[in-house]
Amino acid sequence: MGGSYDWSMSAERLRRHPSYLMLQLTKRARRISADLVDDGLRHGHVAVLVQLVDGGPTSQRRISDRLGVDPSDLVTLVDDLERLGYAARLRDARDRRRYSVHVTAAGEAALRHRLEVAEEVEDRLFAALDAAEREHLADLLVKSFLHHEQGRDV
């Protein structure tokens, strides 16, 4: 490669792209989170726990649909949560042929802890923003997210 390319100019151009900045902030958030907690939970696990706490026991299919996760990937997430003691598959009382996924007390506690960690991560990640700027950023991100979620049952 030639030695005359101005890499600093390239980095400056990249910083003008919100998608690039979001990716870099996501990487930084993961590093901060890893420094704060090492409980074996990934984002997908936390998303499943939120679904179970907020929505109550439900089928794997419904969780998969709500999160937009491939059903086979969801099976792996629920297997992991069961192994950790954070969730349990139980026969559905209304249809004994089916199972529903339930959150355990340990799962609720793990989720509470993870949400506390998320607050700390956000405080560190967005320390340069005041409360109004954080709220505005969140509003813009929600608006963009919902635009791409139109037509999905979320």
Side-chain angles (χ1 to χ4, degrees):
M1 301 268 159
S4 64
Y5 190 78
D6 184 0
W7 288 103
S8 63
M9 181 57 143
S10 177
E12 184 59 34
R13 274 190 285 182
L14 287 173
R15 287 188 193 110
R16 292 186 184 133
H17 293 276
S19 59
Y20 172 79
L21 294 171
M22 288 182 349
L23 177 62
Q24 296 309 308
L25 285 170
T26 298
K27 290 178 182 179
R28 178 85 32 102
R30 286 183 177 155
R31 284 193 299 267
I32 294 168
S33 182
D35 288 344
L36 294 174
V37 66
D38 183 16
D39 57 7
L41 294 178
R42 297 185 321 270
H43 174 74
H45 297 122
V46 174
V48 171
L49 289 173
V50 167
Q51 287 294 312
L52 294 174
V53 168
D54 289 354
T58 191
S59 69
Q60 289 184 178
R61 171 57 94 191
R62 185 147 174 88
I63 297 168
S64 173
D65 291 345
R66 283 186 167 173
L67 295 178
V69 174
D70 184 87
S72 63
D73 292 336
L74 184 71
V75 167
T76 301
L77 291 170
V78 174
D79 286 347
D80 293 343
L81 291 171
E82 273 193 314
R83 184 179 39 75
L84 292 166
Y86 296 157
R89 290 178 180 100
L90 302 172
R91 287 221 183 258
D92 190 311
R94 293 171 290 174
D95 184 346
R96 301 290 294 160
R97 295 170 296 173
R98 296 184 184 193
Y99 285 86
S100 59
V101 183
H102 297 247
V103 67
T104 65
E108 288 183 22
L111 178 60
R112 274 193 305 277
H113 179 67
R114 261 318 184 98
L115 295 177
E116 290 168 2
V117 168
E119 291 288 329
E120 176 67 22
V121 169
E122 288 183 14
D123 285 345
R124 292 184 188 187
L125 197 63
F126 300 114
L129 305 179
D130 64 30
E133 290 170 324
R134 286 184 191 197
E135 186 174 338
H136 185 64
L137 176 61
D139 289 344
L140 293 173
L141 291 171
V142 166
K143 182 178 181 179
S144 184
F145 176 79
L146 291 177
H147 169 77
H148 293 284
E149 290 299 301
Q150 289 177 347
R152 278 200 48 218
D153 179 25
V154 291

